[in-house]
Every structure is written in structure tokens, then in C-alpha cells.
């Protein structure tokens, strides 16, 4: 039987060395040691009588035969996962999910999402990265993340995409500051105050600057921040009028530490999606992306 000469761990090692480009990184991802990974690859090469990859100065390059065998190895691992699905044994999915999310997700429905993943796959470990959307995009492209939950625009194409909906922006301020901004206001009306908002490269900030320039307004009062949580706190402290996604300030609106300001312009709503590469992904990954859609809806 072929099982006497090949095993899943050897094929798994091949896939992850190829994916991550390093024996060390593959060992870290699979929770084992670099010598174990080398032994698995070496055993597979000895059994098959072919060289699967060339190691040179820390880099790894697949041979022609290695590339062909890699494709088959991926399919075998997916079929093994199908056996687990048929048996309805998600507890047997033992892996590490490298998940990247933006701060908005981290501050709103992330923990409900993580609980749903744990309930679905008890033995799946989630390695979490919270970062700006453009950085998550780069890490998805570099195969440093398996699944990213991020806002558009997306620079990296993804073959697996689950739309999570649109999240509108609102203007808010501390109650004392809001007292002087009753009724419908324009951006010009806000400029006696500091205008707190997203980081400079974000879609919301770019649209805000474009709108100001169309109105021939100065942008010197715009205060950009990489931290949305800090923006919320600065707004509550009365440091300026703040442009933020509504989902981020629902609690503050409810307890009236922030008040919504009626402004006749807001940027485009944030479009969120769960994104991954289907050709490289384990089967459970698509289910985790679907779970994100349920968590986003609350």
C-alpha cells in the first residue's frame, strides 16, 4: 500500500516549506522543529528517488518534479480534510490560522467571531494580527496571513472573497462641543475645531481632503490618526469633531459620551470583506470566512 511509503506529515511539510519558503518558518507554523521538517522532506525525497527542492543560502526553490508533486500534495491534504468533514469531526482539525483584522473589527465584533471559530474548530489555534488594511493586504500577498478581514480598496487579488457589508461614517463630538453645532452643518462649520479622523492614506481621509479642496477649505485642522480607539477617546475628551464609522461609537452614542453631529457630507461607507487564496487554503478556511459574515451582522 502507498501508505507504507508516504505519510501525511511528509506532504504537509512539503506544502508549508513551499508556501513559506523556509524550513524554519514551516517548522514554526506546524509546531515542530526544523530538523523534523528536514527529516520529513528528506524521507520523502529518498522514498520517491527525486530531488523536490534546492536549498541555497537560506532560500528554497522547488524543482520541476517538486512543483508537480506539490500540487498533488495539496489535493491529498484537502481530500484528507474531506474525510474529517464526512465523519463530522471538526475537532480533528489541528492547525494554526493566521488571521489578520483591522482595528475596527478588533474593537467591535472580533471576540464574538473568535468564539464562533473556537466552537466550530476546538483544536484550531488562531494567530491574530491587528493592523491597517493596506498592511494586511501586503501580508496576504506575501503569504504571511491565511485570512484577512479588511476594508477596500484591495491591492492584492484574492480568489476567495466573502463580502461582509458596508459600514457608514458619522460625525461625532463630546456633548459640550456639540452644543455649538446644532442643526445641519457643512464641513466649513466644523473647521473652527480640530477634525479628527483616520490615517492619511485611508479612503476616508483621502475623500475628506478632496471634499475640502473642492470647497476651497483649509486642511490644516485635520488631525489624522492610525488608532481609531485613540480617535474615540480624543473625541470624548472634547479635542475635536471626529469622523468615524458608526459601528465603532455605538456604545458612546448610547451612553451619550459622544453626540452625533448632523453634517451634510460623509465619505463613502467602508466596504469590508473576508479574503483568502482558495488554491492554497485548507477547506476549513472558507468556513471561517463564512463565520466572519455571521459575526459582522451581529
Amino acid at each position: 500500500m502507498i501508505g507504507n511509503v508516504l505519510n501525511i506529515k511528509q506532504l504537509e511539510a512539503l506544502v508549508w516549506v513551499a508556501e513559506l519558503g523556509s524550513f524554519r518558518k514551516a517548522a514554526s507554523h506546524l509546531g515542530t522543529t526544523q530538523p523534523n521538517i528536514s527529516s520529513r522532506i528528506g524521507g520523502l525525497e529518498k522514498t520517491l528517488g527525486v530531488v523536490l527542492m534546492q536549498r541555497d543560502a537560506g532560500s528554497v526553490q522547488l524543482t520541476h518534479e517538486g512543483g508537480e508533486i506539490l500540487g498533488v500534495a495539496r489535493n491529498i491534504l484537502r481530500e484528507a480534510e474531506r474525510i474529517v468533514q464526512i465523519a463530522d469531526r471538526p475537532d480533528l482539525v489541528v492547525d494554526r490560522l493566521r488571521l489578520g483584522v483591522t482595528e475596527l473589527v478588533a474593537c467591535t465584533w472580533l471576540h464574538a467571531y473568535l468564539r464562533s471559530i473556537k466552537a466550530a474548530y476546538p483544536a484550531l489555534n488562531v494567530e491574530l494580527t491587528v493592523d491597517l488594511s493596506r498592511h494586511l493586504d501586503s501580508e496576504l500577498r506575501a503569504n504571511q496571513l491565511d485570512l484577512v478581514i479588511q476594508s477596500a480598496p484591495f491591492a492584492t487579488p484574492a480568489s476567495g472573497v466573502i463580502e461582509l457589508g458596508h459600514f457608514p461614517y458619522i460625525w461625532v463630538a463630546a456633548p459640550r462641543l456639540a452644543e455649538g453645532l446644532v442643526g445641519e452643518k457643512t464641513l466649513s462649520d466644523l473647521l473652527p475645531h480640530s477634525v479628527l479622523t483616520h490615517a492619511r492614506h485611508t479612503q476616508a481621509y483621502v475623500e475628506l481632503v478632496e471634499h475640502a479642496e473642492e470647497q476651497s477649505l483649509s486642511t490644516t485642522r485635520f488631525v489624522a490618526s492610525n488608532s481609531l480607539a485613540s480617535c474615540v477617546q480624543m473625541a470624548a475628551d472634547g479635542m475635536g469633531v471626529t469622523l468615524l464609522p458608526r459601528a465603532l461609537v455605538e456604545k458612546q452614542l448610547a451612553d451619550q459620551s459622544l453626540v452625533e453631529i448632523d453634517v451634510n457630507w460623509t465619505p463613502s461607507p467602508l466596504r469590508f470583506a473576508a479574503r483568502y487564496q482558495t488554491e492554497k487554503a485548507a477547506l476549513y478556511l472558507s468556513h471561517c470566512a463564512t463565520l466572519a459574515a455571521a459575526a459582522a451582522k451581529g
Side-chain angles (χ1 to χ4, degrees):
M1 293 288 290
I2 192 68
N4 294 329
V5 293
L6 298 177
N7 63 63
I8 292 292
K9 287 188 177 296
Q10 289 175 324
L11 301 180
E12 189 178 51
L14 172 64
V15 167
W16 281 105
V17 170
E19 291 292 341
L20 301 177
S22 157
F23 280 64
R24 177 183 58 79
K25 291 179 181 178
S28 176
H29 182 81
L30 294 172
T32 186
T33 65
Q34 186 170 331
N36 275 346
I37 296 297
S38 296
S39 175
R40 292 173 192 176
I41 298 295
L44 186 58
E45 289 180 319
K46 182 177 179 180
T47 296
L48 298 176
V50 299
V51 176
L52 299 174
M53 52 186 65
Q54 302 288 348
R55 298 85 155 171
D56 181 28
S59 66
V60 175
Q61 297 292 328
L62 290 175
T63 62
H64 174 73
E65 292 86 355
E68 290 190 339
I69 291 170
L70 173 65
V72 177
R74 284 199 183 107
N75 290 335
I76 292 172
L77 292 179
R78 286 197 185 96
E79 291 305 312
E81 195 175 349
R82 289 187 198 281
I83 293 173
V84 171
Q85 285 185 338
I86 293 169
D88 194 23
R89 291 292 306 276
D91 57 298
L92 297 179
V93 176
V94 181
D95 205 348
R96 180 186 300 177
L97 169 60
R98 300 172 300 169
L99 173 67
V101 304
T102 66
E103 187 181 10
L104 175 60
V105 175
C107 291
T108 52
W109 48 270
L110 172 64
H111 293 291
Y113 177 45
L114 293 177
R115 287 193 294 271
S116 69
I117 292 176
K118 191 66 175 178
Y121 300 102
L124 182 63
N125 292 315
V126 177
E127 183 178 280
L128 181 65
T129 297
V130 180
D131 209 335
L132 298 172
S133 185
R134 66 170 181 166
H135 294 162
L136 299 178
D137 207 290
S138 297
E139 292 184 70
L140 179 65
R141 181 172 59 251
N143 198 32
Q144 295 170 352
L145 292 173
D146 303 310
L147 174 64
V148 296
I149 300 174
Q150 62 176 137
S151 57
F154 309 124
T156 299
S159 49
V161 178
I162 302 293
E163 295 289 344
L164 304 182
H166 292 76
F167 296 80
Y169 282 90
I170 61 171
W171 292 91
V172 296
R176 182 177 298 179
L177 193 157
E179 289 176 359
L181 295 169
V182 177
E184 186 179 83
K185 300 300 177 184
T186 66
L187 180 58
S188 177
D189 296 325
L190 307 182
L191 292 183
H193 309 281
S194 295
V195 173
L196 314 175
T197 189
H198 278 215
R200 291 181 180 275
H201 64 272
T202 59
Q203 177 180 315
Y205 186 87
V206 169
E207 289 186 21
L208 175 62
V209 170
E210 289 176 349
H211 179 69
E213 291 175 346
E214 288 171 1
Q215 306 298 314
S216 300
L217 300 174
S218 171
T219 61
T220 57
R221 302 285 286 175
F222 295 175
V223 181
S225 173
N226 284 347
S227 171
L228 292 178
S230 294
C231 273
V232 173
Q233 188 58 56
M234 288 190 291
D237 290 340
M239 297 178 66
V241 181
T242 310
L243 179 65
L244 290 169
R246 175 181 286 276
L248 189 65
V249 291
E250 293 285 7
K251 177 180 178 295
Q252 289 76 14
L253 292 173
D255 65 22
Q256 297 185 334
S257 57
L258 289 175
V259 177
E260 183 173 359
I261 306 300
D262 182 10
V263 181
N264 67 356
W265 178 89
T266 55
S268 305
L270 283 171
R271 171 196 165 202
F272 267 83
R275 306 173 70 245
Y276 59 100
Q277 306 297 3
T278 56
E279 64 277 8
K280 298 179 180 180
L283 293 179
Y284 70 78
L285 202 57
S286 63
H287 185 211
C288 288
T290 302
L291 291 174
K297 291 177 182 177

